[in-house]
Amino acid sequence: MRIGELAERSGLSRDTIRFYERNGLVRSVPGSSATNNYRDYPEDNLVWLRFITGAREAGLSIADLRDITAAISCDMDRTEARQVLAAKIDELKARADEIRRAIDFLERARDQTAGSAEG
Amino acid sequence: MRIGELAERSGLSRDTIRFYERNGLVRSVPGSSATNNYRDYPEDNLVWLRFITGAREAGLSIADLRDITAAISCDMDRTEARQVLAAKIDELKARADEIRRAIDFLERARDQTAGSAEG
DNA sequence: AAAAACAATAGACCATGGTTCACGGTTTGG
DNA sequence: CCAAACCGTGAACCATGGTCTATTGTTTTT
């Protein structure tokens, strides 16, 4: 599909998709037409962009996602790929821990800010 | 304590602390000297900055933390404060969910990138 | 008392992650 | 056929979250 359709269906803007592509997060192939240089974005980009979007919300950087894309696209040998993925998984787990701590802190603070029906 | 000591003991730079202060994340009071305008940073800023640092790693923005600081500093009435805190807690929980999903995805990808001893 | 360290303020600077704009070419709908 | 919508490219622009650099004045240290 062309970029406009991908944008429409992924909910991202054309510009964001192009930005991701420039940074190695999205892959496309030359389109079939000889009269233009429109690119073709394979269907699986839809699933992929859903992951990317979630991963961005999870706090992974563009650089992180470039590495992950390379690892999953077999741009590197299996050993390296697994190392990259393991490293990002660890990063995410560390972030999850920070979040748990922050939630704890905030819940305690909220509970100390007693309700309006307090004595 | 003065900003240098706070920086030293918190592990943040003076500049970062001043930046946080400008943005309402840190509070200080005028120092006791009449000959300068050095500010005094109460001891509890140490605990507070530890939270701030963790919360930043957890993905809360400066704006989020400004709101949280205001809520916890009783700059607003209890009802509003509890609402703010509840909203930030929800935000963090949503992010935690995204992280779980991303970890799932990456672990599956890692496991499909079979080990070097594969067939 | 003079140098070195520290403080406050203001403004410039930087990286990240997009977004917008200007341009020329292509396709598509009426 | 021709305007509207689409595409690719490149560069400018923007907000966020700091960081660095003067500049000026105040302790501390020697």
Side-chain angles (χ1 to χ4, degrees):
Chain A
M1 79 188 84
R2 298 196 308 202
I3 196 169
E5 187 183 348
L6 182 58
E8 177 80 18
R9 293 173 61 188
S10 68
L12 298 174
S13 73
R14 288 170 195 74
D15 289 311
T16 296
I17 294 172
R18 290 212 182 91
F19 171 77
Y20 285 169
E21 186 165 11
R22 267 202 304 289
N23 286 282
L25 274 56
V26 166
R27 305 288 168 90
S28 66
V29 295
S32 52
S33 167
T35 53
N36 65 31
N37 57 343
Y38 293 2
R39 305 201 53 91
D40 182 69
Y41 294 79
E43 194 84 10
D44 55 11
N45 271 307
L46 274 170
V47 172
W48 186 240
L49 281 178
R50 226 173 338 262
F51 164 67
I52 295 282
T53 302
R56 291 282 306 123
E57 275 162 35
L60 289 181
S61 70
I62 298 293
D64 285 333
L65 289 168
R66 185 181 353 75
D67 295 346
I68 290 171
T69 304
I72 291 185
S73 305
C74 302
D75 290 356
M76 43 182 86
D77 62 69
R78 285 182 209 69
T79 309
E80 198 184 345
R82 269 181 300 118
Q83 277 167 9
V84 166
L85 296 181
K88 303 308 177 185
I89 289 167
D90 286 352
E91 196 182 323
L92 286 172
K93 285 182 174 169
R95 197 182 310 272
D97 277 355
E98 287 300 340
I99 290 182
R100 266 186 281 286
R101 271 191 274 281
I103 289 177
D104 265 27
F105 186 100
L106 292 180
E107 282 180 339
R108 244 185 285 279
R110 182 197 54 189
D111 296 347
Q112 270 160 27
T113 302
S116 47
E118 65 166 345
Chain B
M1 77 190 85
R2 297 195 309 201
I3 196 170
E5 187 183 347
L6 182 59
E8 177 79 17
R9 293 172 63 187
S10 69
L12 298 174
S13 72
R14 288 170 195 72
D15 287 315
T16 297
I17 293 172
R18 290 212 181 91
F19 171 76
Y20 285 170
E21 187 165 9
R22 267 201 304 290
N23 286 282
L25 275 58
V26 166
R27 307 287 169 93
S28 65
V29 295
S32 51
S33 166
T35 53
N36 66 30
N37 56 342
Y38 294 1
R39 307 202 48 93
D40 182 70
Y41 293 80
E43 195 82 11
D44 55 12
N45 272 305
L46 274 170
V47 173
W48 186 240
L49 281 177
R50 222 168 348 259
F51 163 67
I52 294 283
T53 302
R56 290 284 306 125
E57 275 161 36
L60 289 182
S61 70
I62 298 293
D64 285 333
L65 288 168
R66 185 181 351 78
D67 294 346
I68 289 170
T69 304
I72 292 185
S73 304
C74 302
D75 290 357
M76 45 183 86
D77 62 71
R78 284 181 210 70
T79 309
E80 197 184 345
R82 267 181 302 118
Q83 276 167 9
V84 166
L85 295 180
K88 303 308 177 184
I89 289 167
D90 286 352
E91 195 182 322
L92 285 172
K93 285 182 176 168
R95 197 184 309 272
D97 277 355
E98 287 301 340
I99 291 183
R100 265 186 282 286
R101 271 192 274 280
I103 289 177
D104 265 26
F105 185 100
L106 292 180
E107 282 180 341
R108 243 185 287 280
R110 182 197 55 189
D111 295 347
Q112 267 160 28
T113 305
S116 47
E118 66 165 346

